[in-house]
Amino acid sequence: MYVKGVGPYRAKMLSDKGLETVEDLLAYAPFRYEDRRNLKPIDELAPGEMATVIVEVGSVRVPTFQRKNLGLLEAVFKDGSRHTLLGKWFHGTYLQNILTEGQKVALYGKVELDNYRGEVLMLHPEFEILSGDDDDVEATLHTGRIVPIYSAAGKVTTRQLRILMYRILSSISAPEDFLPDRLIAELKLPDLWTAMKEIHFPGEGEQLRLLNNFRSPAQIRMIVEEFFWLECGLALKKQKARTVQGIGFALNEAVRAKIKAMLPFKPTGAQKRVLSEIAADMAATHPMSRLLQGDVGSGKTLVAAESAIIAMENGYQVCVLAPTEILATQHYFYFKNLLARLGYMVVLLTGSMTAREKRQTKKTLETGFAHVAIGTHALLEENVSFHKLGLAIVDEQHRFGVMQRLKLKEKGANPDVLVMTATPIPRTLALTVYGDLDTSIIDELPPGRKPISTRHVNADRIEQVYSFLQKQIDVGRQAYVVYPVIEESETQAMKAAEKGFQQLAEIVFPHFQVGLLHGRMSPSDKESVMAAFKSGAIQILVSTTVVEVGVDVPNATVMVIEQAERFGLAQLHQLRGRVGRGGEQSFCILVTGKLSDAGKERIRTMVDTNDGFQIAEMDLKLRGPGEFFGTKQSGLPTLRFANIVRDPELLEAARSEATSFIANPPSEEALRRAVQYLRTNWQRRYGLVQVG
Ligand code: ADP
Ligand code: MG
């Protein structure tokens, strides 16, 4: 479609923002609205009110008396009133080239009284240059109404976007509305066409407060719609998966006996419940797709090992995919420790192994000699094949996407899949990103755990931390001191850890055994340091974030996190989870330099709560859904109107409607139409693989 005013130049800038089609543009919603209904001549302006004036630029000047660096710009505006209006912009000297005498502009801002001159004044008003070639209708788009404010797309201004939206809306006809009537009636939503128009150009009667909270009827309609189709897609995917032939694992006495023989302790009630959910899935003849959630230290890995036994006792192999080499190595030892004495063979496959080692390991998998393969992305490579893969466990840590899960599945004939997350995921994200999975939650910690006491200490008071460490070690405990790895580069963190190590080992605690652990060490060196810490030979372990996951030393009671301001909340919580695993009171000490506002919020959250779910919610709030996972491949759907942080209750509503719509469609025809619509319009956007 041709839209007047979009030449190749602007088209390029729009497409850089992902705005390629008319549909894209119409989905580019204003991020806020301004009430410019209060349009007044200068003489009627009253100090204190928000108002819009349409005026002509008189003089523009940079006063010479001002102190340096203020960059003050003053402009006088007139509209035929007796008085003039003064506009002031600090750091506004660039406006000299923008505002020119005689120009017609709309100003919007708070009216103040300039005591010095006795004139009305606007400080930093919003302004728009009204060009002479606007046609009459288009001129009214910008003032005298509630005006949409778009974020600029390159050099395409909010004003140009407004005109563009207007032109598009006046040249297309009403689109077909696919949202089920029942939903529209239930939630009293406006129809699609009305909603689209109202989003861009709210009607007279709209309330500004609702609009700016994204709660006008039109906005609610678009938000609900987006969530509804997303949840329909996920529900369809789930439904379809139930029709696929998978493995029905037998759950007999032999299996139970083996699990019992493996267990080092009595499972918690939550672990038992979750295992029975998994076992029921595994026994069913369709493939399992289950998400296992639980706070750090809640004992997810143990449940994973139990599930592995179910598969292995049925003659199948198991693989465990981990996001990093260190984590894979740790899982390897954990599983080997539990399973080897029962006669199962556990192997490790990572990228850093030699070609020969890899070849040998792959052979054991192909022939079925090995029962459990634990590894990193290396497991996903083409040339890795299994004799008989029955269960794939993915330790996500939010790092793997849908595609990788699929790749893993293809290594077997519809194996069961269990996804574990290192830290809890807020419910809204679980519903969107993992919405096609069934969920199990371990909401109970193993018995005897005392809540970890967390404190914040400024780096210049590190002496306090040292004397605290001294006391804890004197009574026989052990401690971690951790340095952050920033943006996947170990080098800097390694240097910081090495320096810290020297300081502690040589100056502060020469009488203790201090160990050092970082990612650049050889696997065998790492292993021996970890073993020494585990046995108690080392009292203080200085490390980079390699201990983030997996290390398990119940006698360690202190976790000191250096430069804690550099860690994200999830990571801090994960690290803290390394202590508090025994019966003794444990401590987490967050050492920071100067804190940003967000940094303060993070530290406060850590000090205030030990609840991983609460921390995850805060993390999502502070960082937003895009950053929460920290990777592009997270499978986060592209949402244009909806926002899971802002709209959790609309997500819940849309989800319950979607679930019942798919389970009990009003008619076959309605379902067929919905599936068709989803396929053509939403599948790609949501990254939904194989819907319907
Ligand atoms: P997660 O993987 O959920 O962070 P882990 O599986 O590493 O947790 O378990 C944390 C610690 O708790 C480990 O030391 C583990 O051996 C121990 N643990 C797990 N389940 C129990 C249980 N039921 N009773 C006692 N200790 C347990
Ligand atoms: Mg099954």
Side-chain angles (χ1 to χ4, degrees):
M1 182 178 132
Y2 169 80
V3 183
K4 191 177 142 218
V6 185
Y9 178 65
R10 280 187 192 165
K12 169 80 174 61
M13 286 187 292
L14 291 171
S15 84
D16 284 348
K17 272 249 176 178
L19 306 174
E20 312 253 8
T21 64
V22 162
E23 195 208 343
D24 292 337
L25 272 165
L26 289 178
Y28 192 67
F31 71 97
R32 107 188 139 77
Y33 298 83
E34 263 173 27
D35 190 348
R36 298 187 187 168
R37 284 175 295 196
N38 192 14
L39 186 59
K40 286 190 167 176
I42 294 173
D43 278 350
E44 284 173 28
L45 291 176
E49 70 176 345
M50 299 296 294
T52 302
V53 290
I54 304 249
V55 288
E56 190 177 299
V57 181
S59 59
V60 179
R61 64 185 202 115
V62 176
T64 50
F65 60 81
Q66 62 176 318
R67 273 187 291 129
K68 259 191 206 149
N69 299 331
L70 288 179
L72 178 65
L73 179 117
E74 290 185 347
V76 175
F77 299 97
K78 51 196 183 186
D79 67 354
S81 292
R82 241 158 21 87
H83 295 95
T84 55
L85 170 72
L86 184 66
K88 276 190 187 184
W89 286 267
F90 290 99
H91 302 291
T93 44
Y94 69 96
L95 290 173
Q96 272 176 301
N97 306 320
I98 295 172
L99 293 174
T100 54
E101 200 176 323
Q103 215 170 29
K104 213 165 174 201
V105 296
L107 298 180
Y108 166 75
K110 186 168 179 191
V111 180
E112 295 178 46
L113 197 62
D114 183 349
N115 291 326
Y116 186 67
R117 286 180 245 212
E119 269 180 44
V120 277
L121 159 86
M122 282 186 184
L123 200 57
H124 289 260
E126 298 282 329
F127 73 91
E128 274 183 25
I129 296 159
L130 304 175
S131 60
D133 59 6
D134 285 343
D135 71 33
D136 289 350
V137 188
E138 288 181 4
T140 67
L141 296 178
H142 316 291
T143 47
R145 64 187 310 149
I146 291 182
V147 176
I149 312 291
Y150 303 89
S151 53
K155 287 201 172 119
V156 186
T157 61
T158 180
R159 176 185 173 77
Q160 288 160 340
L161 282 163
R162 209 175 286 143
I163 295 173
L164 211 54
M165 300 300 179
Y166 177 77
R167 287 183 185 162
I168 292 172
L169 285 168
S170 37
S171 60
I172 63 173
S173 45
E176 199 179 343
D177 194 342
F178 283 88
L179 215 53
D181 297 336
R182 197 173 71 188
L183 176 63
I184 292 183
E186 191 90 16
L187 299 180
K188 300 191 178 63
L189 302 173
D191 68 87
L192 179 60
W193 183 226
T194 307
M196 280 167 71
K197 288 185 292 188
E198 292 266 318
I199 285 262
H200 295 285
F201 299 103
E204 276 294 308
E206 266 324 322
Q207 291 180 37
L208 191 73
R209 191 181 48 80
L210 285 184
L211 283 164
N212 281 331
N213 287 316
F214 293 84
R215 284 298 177 273
S216 75
Q219 289 163 316
I220 289 176
R221 146 98 208 197
M222 301 312 278
I223 293 167
V224 166
E225 165 144 23
E226 206 160 41
F227 281 145
F228 178 79
W229 292 120
L230 172 64
E231 294 298 329
C232 278
L234 292 168
L236 280 167
K237 217 175 135 182
K238 217 163 157 175
Q239 198 181 58
K240 193 182 169 199
R242 298 227 190 285
T243 67
V244 173
Q245 181 64 39
I247 308 158
F249 293 99
L251 266 174
N252 50 34
E253 270 320 302
V255 175
R256 287 182 223 282
K258 263 284 173 34
I259 291 180
K260 221 170 183 174
M262 181 269 292
L263 287 175
F265 21 60
K266 206 165 145 287
T268 61
Q271 281 172 320
K272 279 192 205 148
R273 190 194 66 235
V274 164
L275 179 66
S276 71
E277 289 164 1
I278 293 171
D281 274 5
M282 290 183 73
T285 53
H286 59 78
M288 165 169 78
S289 295
R290 188 165 281 277
L291 174 67
L292 175 55
Q293 287 210 69
D295 208 344
V296 50
S298 61
K300 295 181 289 285
T301 327
L302 191 70
V303 173
E306 292 176 307
S307 326
I309 290 182
I310 299 178
M312 293 187 295
E313 283 302 300
N314 278 272
Y316 285 86
Q317 290 169 296
V318 178
C319 72
V320 181
L321 178 66
T324 66
E325 198 142 310
I326 291 147
L327 187 53
T329 311
Q330 281 160 1
H331 277 325
Y332 168 67
F333 286 116
Y334 189 97
F335 278 85
K336 199 167 103 170
N337 193 19
L338 290 173
L339 300 174
R341 65 194 161 80
L342 301 179
Y344 301 113
M345 179 169 171
V346 184
V347 296
L348 177 69
L349 188 69
T350 64
S352 74
M353 287 163 56
T354 66
R356 187 154 164 272
E357 287 171 325
K358 279 190 214 164
R359 222 172 22 244
Q360 282 174 343
T361 305
K362 284 177 200 163
K363 198 80 185 266
T364 63
L365 294 173
E366 249 170 65
T367 56
F369 191 61
H371 302 98
V372 186
I374 301 189
T376 53
H377 284 89
L379 274 177
L380 298 174
E381 279 165 25
E382 299 275 305
N383 58 14
V384 177
S385 60
F386 288 82
H387 174 61
K388 208 176 168 192
L389 180 64
L391 173 66
I393 299 171
V394 183
D395 193 349
E396 282 249 325
Q397 235 193 337
H398 318 325
R399 288 190 216 201
F400 293 109
V402 179
M403 293 317 289
Q404 282 150 321
R405 261 189 261 153
L406 274 180
K407 242 186 182 165
L408 196 58
K409 269 184 104 134
E410 283 161 9
K411 303 264 176 207
N414 295 322
D416 283 356
V417 175
L418 182 66
V419 178
M420 296 197 290
T421 67
T423 46
I425 301 169
R427 178 171 160 82
T428 49
L429 271 183
L431 286 186
T432 47
V433 180
Y434 297 96
D436 56 330
L437 307 184
D438 297 303
T439 308
S440 289
I441 297 183
I442 305 184
D443 50 4
E444 179 187 350
L445 292 178
R449 297 273 171 88
K450 295 198 177 75
I452 301 160
S453 150
T454 302
R455 294 173 200 172
H456 173 215
V457 173
N458 229 297
D460 54 18
R461 316 192 66 173
I462 191 75
E463 294 298 332
Q464 291 183 343
V465 178
Y466 293 155
S467 61
F468 183 72
L469 277 178
Q470 172 83 44
K471 278 187 209 139
Q472 285 285 305
I473 294 165
D474 281 344
V475 296
R477 310 278 170 272
Q478 289 166 281
Y480 299 95
V481 178
V482 179
Y483 290 83
V485 172
I486 297 129
E487 283 165 8
E488 304 299 310
S489 138
E490 261 270 330
T491 318
Q492 262 197 324
M494 189 184 73
K495 283 189 188 143
E498 270 170 353
K499 237 178 97 188
F501 166 70
Q502 270 168 10
Q503 160 91 356
L504 289 174
E506 289 163 20
I507 302 168
V508 189
F509 299 119
H511 48 297
F512 291 148
Q513 289 304 313
V514 183
L516 176 67
L517 190 65
H518 60 70
R520 295 286 166 81
M521 287 160 53
S522 75
S524 65
D525 285 352
K526 271 188 234 168
E527 214 178 294
S528 64
V529 172
M530 286 199 284
F533 189 61
K534 205 156 182 160
S535 75
I538 287 175
Q539 284 124 5
I540 300 176
L541 182 63
V542 178
S543 84
T544 56
T545 21
V546 294
V547 294
E548 187 182 331
V549 231
V551 178
D552 193 15
V553 180
N555 188 48
T557 54
V558 190
M559 167 62 68
V560 178
I561 306 179
E562 293 273 358
Q563 302 171 29
E565 69 273 22
R566 300 195 164 191
F567 288 96
L569 263 177
Q571 218 182 359
L572 288 172
H573 182 61
Q574 187 68 33
L575 281 169
R576 178 168 60 182
R578 296 304 102 198
V579 296
R581 292 177 165 234
E584 303 297 335
Q585 174 65 53
S586 287
F587 305 88
C588 174
I589 302 173
L590 306 169
V591 182
T592 73
K594 206 166 151 34
L595 289 172
S596 66
D597 284 348
K600 271 184 205 146
E601 194 70 40
R602 285 201 297 273
I603 300 294
R604 179 163 352 126
T605 305
M606 286 295 294
V607 171
D608 285 352
T609 181
N610 272 305
D611 178 342
F613 282 92
Q614 219 170 310
I615 287 170
E617 293 287 349
M618 181 55 87
D619 199 20
L620 177 62
K621 228 172 249 166
L622 289 176
R623 288 201 288 173
E627 293 295 307
F628 182 86
F629 286 114
T631 52
K632 290 216 172 70
Q633 285 193 316
S634 59
L636 194 70
T638 317
L639 298 170
R640 286 160 159 172
F641 295 100
N643 175 326
I644 59 170
V645 178
R646 187 189 63 207
D647 309 323
E649 76 289 2
L650 296 180
L651 171 59
E652 294 285 356
R655 175 182 144 89
S656 95
E657 291 290 337
T659 314
S660 70
F661 178 77
I662 298 299
N664 298 305
S667 68
E668 274 305 304
E669 171 58 16
L671 182 63
R672 203 194 49 74
R673 240 169 68 101
V675 170
Q676 186 55 39
Y677 177 66
L678 253 170
R679 271 210 196 107
T680 49
N681 293 276
W682 297 78
Q683 188 149 332
R684 190 178 47 86
R685 249 185 65 195
Y686 287 152
L688 294 169
V689 188
Q690 301 168 323
V691 163

